[in-house]
Amino acid sequence: MAPWPELENAQPNSDKYIEGAAGQQSTAKGKETGKNDTDTPVTKIELLPSYSTMALIEEPTVVEDPWNLPELQDTGIKWSERDTKGKILCVFQGIGKFILLLVFLYFFVCSLDVLSNAFQLVGGKVAGQFFSNNSIMSNPVAGLVIGVLVTVLVQSSSTSSSIVVSMVASSLLNVQAAIPIIMGANIGTSITNTIVALMQAGDRSEFRRAFAGATVHDFFNWLSVLVLLPLEAATRYLEHLTNLVVESFNFKNGEDAPELLKVITDPFTKLIIQLDKKVINQIAMNDETAKNKSMIKIWCKTFTSTTERNVTVPSPDNCTSPSLCWTDGLHTWTIKNMTHQENLAKCQHIFVNFNLPDVVVGTILLVVSLLVLCSCLVLIVKLLGSVLRGQVAVVIKKTINTDFPFPFAWVTGYLAILVGAGMTFIVQSSSVFTSAMTPLIGIGVISIERAYPLTLGANIGTTTTAILAALASPGSTLKSSLQIALCHFFFNISGILLWYPIPFTRLPIRLAKWLGSISAKYRWFAVFYLVTFFLLIPLAVFGLSLVGWPVLVGVGAPIIFVVFLVVVVGLLQSRCPRVLPHKLHNWKFLPLWMHSLKPWDKLITTFTGCCQSLCCRICCLTCGCPNKCCHCSKCCEDLQEVQDVPIKSPEAFANMAMDKEAQDGVPKSEVDASGTKTISSITAL
């Protein structure tokens, strides 16, 4: 406990305790009296135990594990203490909170859908152009980063996977080159719940858990790619395995894949925006006419008619058939089927009558959807915090985080994987499921260890949805789409076999906790991680791939070697430092900015402080404040006198301070009737 302000060197008023002791001696039992040589009675005073001022200043600090789940205690009135009216009111409040929770969750899911559409409007055509460059698709690393970039731009792994399926079905891409793109799409889809975790940055403890729970998905995907991409490039095991499965079963195309959640969200989201997603596929297939098309759907109901017409052709070789070819001396004629599309009814969304560019509409939707997403997330967290209290929280936490009894404890994680797969299949999106789980991890309802298998199950659930969608494909694209979906499925199964069955191999949990602790201490590092690993590194690798394979290897190999060397030395420093030279026992031989984030934190804090001051000045100039800053601004030149803050201090210190003030003649503080001493808030801070 910190010392009391302005009283660090003060001592307790010993007279107060001596007087109290004398009073106690006069009434205590066992009082002993004696006489001296002059027969004068003398009272024998027992000395009280000494009082140390350290007990008032310092307390032993208890080191707690920051990853322990917090106790969600019920601070309200107990159920047994309520009367009949209070119980009825409590029931209706619970029902109302549950309905509000469903409403906020509905708008949260809808905002994710609109956010995906906004990203497609802003970067969909750019994503299609990534796929149109077939010259670098043979490079598996380039294919991986293209999958990451496209999925980040369109915020949907389903969209990027459908583009790959279309390109494979059209023979623009083979399955071998498509597999790295699918792996990249698996990485890119994990950015959504990481963005959602940033919304809980207000509380460090919640942010530590939420960000770790979100990035455990990232680390699983990155580590799986780190092992399986070289393995696939060397052995092509995914391609051979999926080809064997497709050839072994006689699949037939069926009806459309089930859309369970879309049935609920589409009526609302289609009133906001509707997109023609075929434009991205056409751009990916080098269709020049699609580059000038708008992705905003205008006509929702059309009628297409096919008629036979006589048309001229350059030569008889261009006729549809020899029997349908004739000449009139000047021209060669044939009969062709001509299609005519007639627009019947316009779509009923907000932007149907606005002639705005796709980028402008996408930017508007991006800002609005992010605001709605943040608002819904904050309200969901507040509602969950008020609902999950007391006995309800205990039951839920025990149900989710408790393992089965001893012989079957290992089964719990695999059951959680099945639950995650089932829930993802119901909501038809791994991003929705993991994003909805992130605030629960933040407030401490779900532990990181339990969130990890749920996330792995979400990875499997999203692939089963893709398999069903592939089975509903037409006959021309059935085999290719099914093989791509199975590649996605077996990639996630292989990753689970690598990083889950043995507890020692669950590296994503340890890495996510490490990143969560760093991000909780330096919250700007979370944004740095997000921008670096999902944007800057993929863009850099893609740019080097455009230059050529030798340049990519020449630049990337030394960087990978240095990173590998740092990781190995760091592991040896923590596990077996005696095998290293004395100088390598720590990183202190390097400059501070190379092994610590403190200098960078000071730099970023200074920069953000300057930006805040500049914004304050601009605000003051805009408001027209006279010569000084606005009262609401924290960067004013002349700070106003801050009101005194009451701080409670022990009476012994208060009396000593009053005695000192009486000697000085200048009152430094005032003591009110309740014993509360007020001091300057600037001194207290």
Side-chain angles (χ1 to χ4, degrees):
M1 187 172 66
W4 294 101
E6 292 187 343
L7 298 174
E8 296 180 5
N9 299 322
Q11 299 294 331
N13 191 353
S14 57
D15 295 338
K16 174 177 169 44
Y17 294 104
I18 293 175
E19 291 171 4
Q24 291 176 4
Q25 294 292 334
S26 62
T27 57
K29 294 181 180 181
K31 180 177 66 176
E32 298 181 7
T33 58
K35 296 183 180 180
N36 58 8
D37 296 338
T38 58
D39 295 332
T40 304
V42 177
T43 303
K44 295 182 180 180
I45 301 176
E46 293 182 2
L47 294 177
L48 293 175
S50 60
Y51 290 87
S52 173
T53 59
M54 295 301 292
L56 299 173
I57 297 176
E58 294 183 359
E59 292 179 355
T61 57
V62 180
V63 179
E64 295 183 357
D65 186 2
W67 298 103
N68 287 339
L69 296 182
E71 293 293 335
L72 302 177
Q73 298 179 351
D74 191 359
T75 57
I77 304 173
K78 293 182 179 180
W79 179 263
S80 58
E81 297 177 357
R82 297 177 183 269
D83 55 5
T84 305
K85 182 179 178 181
K87 291 180 179 179
I88 295 175
L89 185 61
C90 182
V91 170
F92 279 106
Q93 284 180 348
I95 296 173
K97 288 180 179 180
F98 180 72
I99 294 173
L100 281 177
L101 186 63
L102 292 179
V103 171
F104 292 142
L105 190 61
Y106 176 78
F107 283 108
F108 176 76
V109 175
C110 290
S111 64
L112 285 175
D113 193 5
V114 175
L115 182 69
S116 174
N117 291 333
F119 272 106
Q120 291 182 47
L121 285 172
V122 173
K125 292 185 177 180
V126 178
Q129 290 175 359
F130 278 129
F131 283 116
S132 64
N133 193 344
N134 296 331
S135 60
I136 63 172
M137 290 294 186
S138 58
N139 182 354
V141 179
L144 174 73
V145 296
I146 286 174
V148 174
L149 288 171
V150 170
T151 309
V152 168
L153 287 174
V154 302
Q155 282 291 289
S156 172
S157 60
S158 301
T159 302
S160 53
S161 300
S162 65
I163 296 173
V164 174
V165 168
S166 301
M167 295 182 70
V168 172
S170 304
S171 300
L172 295 175
L173 200 65
N174 56 22
V175 176
Q176 181 184 358
I179 290 175
I181 302 176
I182 294 298
M183 292 182 181
N186 209 51
I187 293 174
T189 191
S190 62
I191 192 177
T192 306
N193 60 327
T194 309
I195 294 175
V196 170
L198 293 177
M199 310 305 170
Q200 291 181 266
D203 184 273
R204 289 186 186 273
S205 298
E206 285 190 12
F207 184 55
R208 179 188 293 108
R209 290 188 293 268
F211 198 73
T215 53
V216 74
H217 195 186
D218 305 353
F219 283 114
F220 170 77
N221 290 330
W222 282 110
L223 290 173
S224 299
V225 165
L226 191 64
V227 175
L228 297 178
L229 182 61
L231 183 64
E232 172 62 24
T235 63
R236 298 169 61 181
Y237 86 99
L238 283 176
E239 181 183 359
H240 295 316
L241 178 61
T242 53
N243 186 56
L244 181 65
V245 173
V246 171
E247 295 294 339
S248 301
F249 297 94
N250 185 20
F251 291 109
K252 295 182 180 180
N253 55 325
E255 300 178 355
D256 293 337
E259 294 184 349
L260 304 179
L261 191 66
K262 291 285 186 181
V263 174
I264 305 173
T265 58
D266 275 356
F268 178 73
T269 56
K270 284 185 176 180
L271 294 177
I272 300 174
I273 190 67
Q274 294 185 46
L275 301 184
D276 185 5
K277 298 182 180 180
K278 295 180 181 178
V279 176
I280 303 179
N281 290 3
Q282 293 170 353
I283 294 175
M285 295 179 183
N286 292 318
D287 188 352
E288 295 294 331
T289 60
K291 293 182 179 179
N292 297 323
K293 286 184 180 179
S294 173
M295 291 184 61
I296 302 174
K297 186 181 285 189
I298 304 298
W299 299 95
C300 285
K301 185 180 290 188
T302 59
F303 176 74
T304 303
S305 60
T306 303
T307 58
E308 293 182 352
R309 289 188 180 181
N310 298 335
V311 295
T312 58
V313 290
S315 66
D317 296 334
N318 301 110
C319 293
T320 54
S321 68
S323 61
L324 300 176
C325 189
W326 70 93
T327 60
D328 58 358
L330 297 176
H331 303 285
T332 302
W333 294 82
T334 188
I335 298 177
K336 284 188 176 181
N337 292 329
M338 305 294 293
T339 58
H340 173 70
Q341 182 174 327
E342 183 179 357
N343 298 322
L344 299 180
K346 281 188 174 184
C347 299
Q348 301 295 322
H349 59 84
I350 298 174
F351 298 96
V352 69
N353 294 319
F354 291 91
N355 295 322
L356 296 175
D358 290 358
V359 177
V360 175
V361 176
T363 305
I364 294 172
L365 290 177
L366 187 65
V367 173
V368 173
S369 60
L370 281 176
L371 288 175
V372 175
L373 181 72
C374 298
S375 303
C376 290
L377 184 65
V378 170
L379 293 172
I380 287 172
V381 171
K382 295 294 184 184
L383 270 177
L384 287 174
S386 63
V387 172
L388 301 179
R389 297 185 303 179
Q391 197 62 30
V392 178
V394 172
V395 171
I396 293 178
K397 287 170 67 175
K398 283 186 177 179
T399 304
I400 295 178
N401 299 308
T402 304
D403 294 336
F404 287 125
F406 166 66
F408 307 103
W410 58 274
V411 181
T412 312
Y414 296 98
L415 181 62
I417 292 176
L418 294 177
V419 171
M423 293 298 296
T424 306
F425 178 78
I426 291 174
V427 300
Q428 297 283 295
S429 173
S430 61
S431 299
V432 171
F433 175 69
T434 54
S435 299
M437 193 169 58
T438 299
L440 294 175
I441 301 171
I443 64 176
V445 175
I446 303 177
S447 65
I448 307 294
E449 288 75 14
R450 185 63 72 238
Y452 180 52
L454 289 171
T455 303
L456 301 186
N459 269 1
I460 296 177
T462 191
T463 58
T464 56
T465 305
I467 292 173
L468 289 177
L471 290 174
S473 303
S476 58
T477 62
L478 174 62
K479 182 179 177 181
S480 57
S481 58
L482 185 58
Q483 189 170 1
I484 295 298
L486 288 174
C487 286
H488 197 182
F489 174 75
F490 284 112
F491 167 74
N492 283 302
I493 293 293
S494 303
I496 291 174
L497 293 177
L498 279 173
W499 308 114
Y500 187 74
I502 306 175
F504 175 76
T505 61
R506 295 173 188 175
L507 291 179
I509 295 178
R510 291 195 285 272
L511 292 174
K513 286 186 175 182
W514 168 76
L515 183 61
S517 298
I518 293 179
S519 301
K521 187 175 182 181
Y522 307 106
R523 280 174 275 195
W524 54 267
F525 190 78
V527 180
F528 172 79
Y529 159 79
L530 204 63
V531 174
T532 302
F533 280 86
F534 289 96
L535 194 62
L536 295 183
I537 292 178
L539 279 176
V541 174
F542 179 73
L544 292 173
S545 301
L546 291 176
V547 178
W549 173 258
V551 177
L552 178 63
V553 174
V555 176
I559 297 175
I560 293 175
F561 175 75
V562 171
V563 172
F564 177 76
L565 190 64
V566 169
V567 171
V568 171
V569 173
L571 289 175
L572 290 176
Q573 286 176 350
S574 60
R575 301 288 182 180
C576 191
R578 63 181 179 274
V579 302
L580 294 173
H582 180 71
K583 194 172 184 179
L584 289 178
H585 282 185
N586 51 54
W587 299 107
K588 291 183 179 180
F589 65 92
L590 295 173
L592 185 62
W593 61 270
M594 293 184 68
H595 66 87
S596 175
L597 292 176
K598 287 183 180 179
W600 298 101
D601 184 57
K602 291 180 180 178
L603 180 64
I604 293 175
T605 304
T606 304
F607 176 74
T608 53
C610 293
C611 292
Q612 182 184 8
S613 300
L614 180 61
C615 293
C616 290
R617 304 298 179 191
I618 295 174
C619 174
C620 295
L621 291 175
T622 306
C623 297
C625 299
N627 298 326
K628 297 180 182 179
C629 282
C630 304
H631 296 291
C632 60
S633 175
K634 294 183 180 179
C635 58
C636 297
E637 296 180 13
D638 299 326
L639 291 173
Q640 292 184 346
E641 190 70 24
V642 185
Q643 293 182 354
D644 289 341
V645 179
I647 297 179
K648 190 79 175 179
S649 62
E651 288 187 31
F653 285 108
N655 295 336
M656 194 69 187
M658 290 171 61
D659 294 340
K660 187 176 180 180
E661 289 171 8
Q663 293 174 3
D664 295 340
V666 180
K668 293 184 179 179
S669 59
E670 298 176 357
V671 181
D672 58 13
S674 62
T676 302
K677 183 173 71 66
T678 59
I679 62 173
S680 175
S681 62
I682 297 177
T683 308
L685 292 175

